[in-house]
CSV table of all heavy atoms in Angstrom, one decimal:
chain,number,residue,atom,x,y,z
A,40,THR,N,117.7,116.0,91.0
A,40,THR,CA,118.9,116.8,91.4
A,40,THR,C,118.5,117.4,92.8
A,40,THR,O,119.4,117.4,93.7
A,40,THR,CB,119.2,118.0,90.4
A,40,THR,OG1,119.4,117.4,89.2
A,40,THR,CG2,120.3,118.8,90.9
A,41,ALA,N,117.3,118.0,93.0
A,41,ALA,CA,116.9,118.6,94.2
A,41,ALA,C,117.0,117.5,95.4
A,41,ALA,O,117.4,117.8,96.5
A,41,ALA,CB,115.6,119.2,94.1
A,42,ARG,N,116.5,116.3,95.1
A,42,ARG,CA,116.5,115.2,96.1
A,42,ARG,C,117.9,114.8,96.5
A,42,ARG,O,118.1,114.4,97.6
A,42,ARG,CB,115.8,114.0,95.6
A,42,ARG,CG,114.3,114.1,95.6
A,42,ARG,CD,113.6,112.8,95.4
A,42,ARG,NE,112.2,113.0,95.7
A,42,ARG,CZ,111.4,112.0,95.6
A,42,ARG,NH1,111.8,110.8,95.2
A,42,ARG,NH2,110.1,112.2,96.0
A,43,SER,N,118.9,115.0,95.6
A,43,SER,CA,120.2,114.7,95.9
A,43,SER,C,120.9,115.7,96.8
A,43,SER,O,121.9,115.5,97.4
A,43,SER,CB,121.1,114.4,94.7
A,43,SER,OG,121.2,115.6,93.9
A,44,LEU,N,120.2,116.9,96.9
A,44,LEU,CA,120.8,118.0,97.7
A,44,LEU,C,120.2,118.0,99.1
A,44,LEU,O,120.7,118.8,100.0
A,44,LEU,CB,120.6,119.3,97.0
A,44,LEU,CG,121.3,119.5,95.7
A,44,LEU,CD1,120.9,120.8,95.0
A,44,LEU,CD2,122.8,119.5,96.0
A,45,THR,N,119.1,117.3,99.3
A,45,THR,CA,118.5,117.3,100.6
A,45,THR,C,117.9,115.9,100.9
A,45,THR,O,117.6,115.2,100.0
A,45,THR,CB,117.3,118.4,100.7
A,45,THR,OG1,116.8,118.4,102.0
A,45,THR,CG2,116.3,118.1,99.7
A,46,ALA,N,117.9,115.6,102.2
A,46,ALA,CA,117.5,114.2,102.6
A,46,ALA,C,116.0,114.0,102.6
A,46,ALA,O,115.5,112.9,102.5
A,46,ALA,CB,118.0,113.9,104.0
A,47,ASN,N,115.2,115.1,102.6
A,47,ASN,CA,113.7,115.0,102.8
A,47,ASN,C,113.1,115.2,101.4
A,47,ASN,O,113.3,116.3,100.8
A,47,ASN,CB,113.3,116.0,103.8
A,47,ASN,CG,111.8,115.9,104.1
A,47,ASN,OD1,111.0,115.4,103.2
A,47,ASN,ND2,111.4,116.4,105.2
A,48,PRO,N,112.3,114.3,100.9
A,48,PRO,CA,111.6,114.5,99.6
A,48,PRO,C,110.7,115.7,99.5
A,48,PRO,O,110.6,116.4,98.5
A,48,PRO,CB,110.8,113.2,99.4
A,48,PRO,CG,111.4,112.2,100.2
A,48,PRO,CD,112.0,112.9,101.4
A,49,SER,N,110.1,116.0,100.6
A,49,SER,CA,109.2,117.2,100.7
A,49,SER,C,110.1,118.5,100.6
A,49,SER,O,109.7,119.4,99.8
A,49,SER,CB,108.4,117.3,101.9
A,49,SER,OG,107.5,116.2,102.0
A,50,ASP,N,111.2,118.5,101.3
A,50,ASP,CA,112.1,119.6,101.1
A,50,ASP,C,112.7,119.8,99.7
A,50,ASP,O,112.9,120.9,99.2
A,50,ASP,CB,113.3,119.5,102.1
A,50,ASP,CG,112.9,119.7,103.6
A,50,ASP,OD1,111.7,120.2,103.8
A,50,ASP,OD2,113.6,119.3,104.5
A,51,ALA,N,112.9,118.6,99.1
A,51,ALA,CA,113.4,118.6,97.7
A,51,ALA,C,112.4,119.3,96.8
A,51,ALA,O,112.7,120.1,95.9
A,51,ALA,CB,113.8,117.2,97.2
A,52,GLU,N,111.1,119.0,97.0
A,52,GLU,CA,110.1,119.6,96.1
A,52,GLU,C,110.0,121.1,96.4
A,52,GLU,O,109.8,121.8,95.4
A,52,GLU,CB,108.7,118.9,96.4
A,52,GLU,CG,108.7,117.5,95.9
A,52,GLU,CD,107.4,116.7,96.4
A,52,GLU,OE1,106.6,117.3,97.1
A,52,GLU,OE2,107.3,115.5,96.0
A,53,ASP,N,110.1,121.5,97.6
A,53,ASP,CA,110.1,122.9,97.9
A,53,ASP,C,111.3,123.6,97.3
A,53,ASP,O,111.2,124.7,96.8
A,53,ASP,CB,110.1,123.1,99.5
A,53,ASP,CG,108.8,122.7,100.1
A,53,ASP,OD1,107.8,122.5,99.4
A,53,ASP,OD2,108.7,122.5,101.3
A,54,LEU,N,112.4,123.0,97.4
A,54,LEU,CA,113.7,123.5,96.9
A,54,LEU,C,113.5,123.7,95.4
A,54,LEU,O,113.9,124.8,94.8
A,54,LEU,CB,114.8,122.6,97.2
A,54,LEU,CG,116.2,123.0,96.6
A,54,LEU,CD1,116.7,124.3,97.2
A,54,LEU,CD2,117.2,121.8,97.0
A,55,LEU,N,113.0,122.7,94.7
A,55,LEU,CA,112.8,122.8,93.2
A,55,LEU,C,111.8,123.9,92.9
A,55,LEU,O,112.0,124.7,92.0
A,55,LEU,CB,112.4,121.5,92.6
A,55,LEU,CG,112.1,121.5,91.1
A,55,LEU,CD1,113.3,121.9,90.4
A,55,LEU,CD2,111.6,120.1,90.7
A,56,GLN,N,110.7,124.0,93.7
A,56,GLN,CA,109.7,125.0,93.4
A,56,GLN,C,110.3,126.4,93.5
A,56,GLN,O,110.0,127.3,92.7
A,56,GLN,CB,108.5,124.8,94.4
A,56,GLN,CG,107.3,125.6,94.1
A,56,GLN,CD,106.6,125.1,92.8
A,56,GLN,OE1,106.7,124.0,92.5
A,56,GLN,NE2,106.0,126.0,92.1
A,57,THR,N,111.1,126.6,94.6
A,57,THR,CA,111.8,127.9,94.8
A,57,THR,C,112.7,128.2,93.6
A,57,THR,O,112.7,129.3,93.1
A,57,THR,CB,112.5,127.9,96.1
A,57,THR,OG1,111.6,127.6,97.1
A,57,THR,CG2,113.2,129.2,96.3
A,58,ALA,N,113.5,127.2,93.2
A,58,ALA,CA,114.4,127.5,92.1
A,58,ALA,C,113.7,127.8,90.8
A,58,ALA,O,114.1,128.6,90.0
A,58,ALA,CB,115.3,126.2,91.9
A,59,LEU,N,112.6,127.1,90.6
A,59,LEU,CA,111.8,127.3,89.4
A,59,LEU,C,111.1,128.7,89.4
A,59,LEU,O,111.0,129.4,88.4
A,59,LEU,CB,110.7,126.2,89.2
A,59,LEU,CG,111.3,124.9,88.7
A,59,LEU,CD1,110.2,123.8,88.7
A,59,LEU,CD2,112.0,125.0,87.4
A,60,ALA,N,110.7,129.1,90.6
A,60,ALA,CA,110.1,130.5,90.7
A,60,ALA,C,111.2,131.5,90.4
A,60,ALA,O,110.9,132.5,89.7
A,60,ALA,CB,109.6,130.7,92.1
A,61,LYS,N,112.4,131.3,90.9
A,61,LYS,CA,113.5,132.2,90.5
A,61,LYS,C,113.8,132.2,89.0
A,61,LYS,O,114.1,133.3,88.4
A,61,LYS,CB,114.8,131.9,91.3
A,61,LYS,CG,114.7,132.1,92.8
A,61,LYS,CD,115.9,131.7,93.5
A,61,LYS,CE,115.8,131.9,95.0
A,61,LYS,NZ,117.0,131.5,95.7
A,62,THR,N,113.7,131.1,88.4
A,62,THR,CA,114.0,130.9,87.0
A,62,THR,C,112.8,131.6,86.2
A,62,THR,O,113.1,132.3,85.2
A,62,THR,CB,114.0,129.5,86.6
A,62,THR,OG1,115.1,128.8,87.3
A,62,THR,CG2,114.4,129.3,85.1
A,63,PHE,N,111.6,131.5,86.7
A,63,PHE,CA,110.5,132.1,86.0
A,63,PHE,C,110.6,133.7,86.0
A,63,PHE,O,110.4,134.3,85.0
A,63,PHE,CB,109.2,131.7,86.7
A,63,PHE,CG,108.0,132.3,86.1
A,63,PHE,CD1,107.4,131.8,84.9
A,63,PHE,CD2,107.4,133.4,86.6
A,63,PHE,CE1,106.3,132.3,84.3
A,63,PHE,CE2,106.2,134.0,86.1
A,63,PHE,CZ,105.7,133.5,84.9
A,64,VAL,N,111.1,134.2,87.1
A,64,VAL,CA,111.2,135.6,87.3
A,64,VAL,C,112.3,136.1,86.3
A,64,VAL,O,112.2,137.2,85.7
A,64,VAL,CB,111.6,136.0,88.7
A,64,VAL,CG1,112.0,137.5,88.8
A,64,VAL,CG2,110.4,135.8,89.6
A,65,ALA,N,113.3,135.3,86.1
A,65,ALA,CA,114.4,135.7,85.2
A,65,ALA,C,114.3,135.2,83.8
A,65,ALA,O,115.2,135.4,82.9
A,65,ALA,CB,115.7,135.2,85.8
A,66,TRP,N,113.1,134.6,83.4
A,66,TRP,CA,113.0,134.0,82.2
A,66,TRP,C,113.3,134.8,80.9
A,66,TRP,O,114.0,134.4,80.0
A,66,TRP,CB,111.5,133.4,82.1
A,66,TRP,CG,111.3,132.5,80.9
A,66,TRP,CD1,110.7,132.7,79.7
A,66,TRP,CD2,111.8,131.1,80.8
A,66,TRP,NE1,110.7,131.6,78.9
A,66,TRP,CE2,111.3,130.6,79.6
A,66,TRP,CE3,112.5,130.3,81.7
A,66,TRP,CZ2,111.6,129.3,79.2
A,66,TRP,CZ3,112.7,129.0,81.3
A,66,TRP,CH2,112.3,128.5,80.1
A,67,GLU,N,112.8,136.1,81.0
A,67,GLU,CA,113.1,136.9,79.8
A,67,GLU,C,114.6,137.4,79.7
A,67,GLU,O,115.0,137.7,78.7
A,67,GLU,CB,112.2,138.2,79.9
A,67,GLU,CG,110.7,137.9,79.6
A,67,GLU,CD,109.9,139.1,79.7
A,67,GLU,OE1,110.2,140.1,80.4
A,67,GLU,OE2,108.8,139.1,79.0
A,68,ARG,N,115.3,137.4,80.9
A,68,ARG,CA,116.7,137.8,80.9
A,68,ARG,C,117.6,136.7,80.5
A,68,ARG,O,118.8,136.9,80.2
A,68,ARG,CB,117.0,138.3,82.2
A,68,ARG,CG,116.3,139.6,82.6
A,68,ARG,CD,116.9,140.2,83.9
A,68,ARG,NE,117.1,139.2,85.0
A,68,ARG,CZ,116.3,139.0,86.0
A,68,ARG,NH1,115.2,139.6,86.1
A,68,ARG,NH2,116.6,138.1,86.9
A,69,ILE,N,117.2,135.4,80.5
A,69,ILE,CA,118.0,134.3,80.1
A,69,ILE,C,118.1,134.3,78.6
A,69,ILE,O,117.2,134.0,77.9
A,69,ILE,CB,117.5,132.9,80.7
A,69,ILE,CG1,117.3,133.0,82.2
A,69,ILE,CG2,118.3,131.8,80.2
A,69,ILE,CD1,116.6,131.8,82.8
A,70,GLU,N,119.3,134.5,78.1
A,70,GLU,CA,119.5,134.6,76.7
A,70,GLU,C,119.6,133.3,76.0
A,70,GLU,O,119.1,133.1,74.9
A,70,GLU,CB,120.8,135.5,76.4
A,70,GLU,CG,120.7,136.9,76.9
A,70,GLU,CD,122.0,137.7,76.6
A,70,GLU,OE1,122.9,137.2,76.0
A,70,GLU,OE2,122.0,138.8,77.2
A,71,ASP,N,120.4,132.4,76.6
A,71,ASP,CA,120.6,131.1,75.9
A,71,ASP,C,119.7,130.0,76.6
A,71,ASP,O,120.1,129.5,77.7
A,71,ASP,CB,122.0,130.7,76.0
A,71,ASP,CG,122.4,129.4,75.3
A,71,ASP,OD1,121.5,128.9,74.6
A,71,ASP,OD2,123.5,129.0,75.4
A,72,HIS,N,118.6,129.7,76.1
A,72,HIS,CA,117.7,128.7,76.7
A,72,HIS,C,118.2,127.3,76.6
A,72,HIS,O,117.6,126.4,77.2
A,72,HIS,CB,116.3,128.9,76.1
A,72,HIS,CG,115.5,130.0,76.6
A,72,HIS,ND1,114.2,129.9,77.0
A,72,HIS,CD2,115.9,131.3,76.9
A,72,HIS,CE1,113.8,131.1,77.5
A,72,HIS,NE2,114.8,131.9,77.4
Side-chain angles (χ1 to χ4, degrees):
T40 302
R42 281 189 169 183
S43 65
L44 295 173
T45 182
N47 185 335
S49 298
D50 290 343
E52 291 171 1
D53 291 344
L54 177 63
L55 178 59
Q56 192 69 30
T57 302
L59 288 174
K61 290 177 181 180
T62 304
F63 181 79
V64 169
W66 191 255
E67 289 180 335
R68 294 189 317 263
I69 300 172
E70 293 178 12
D71 185 7
H72 280 225

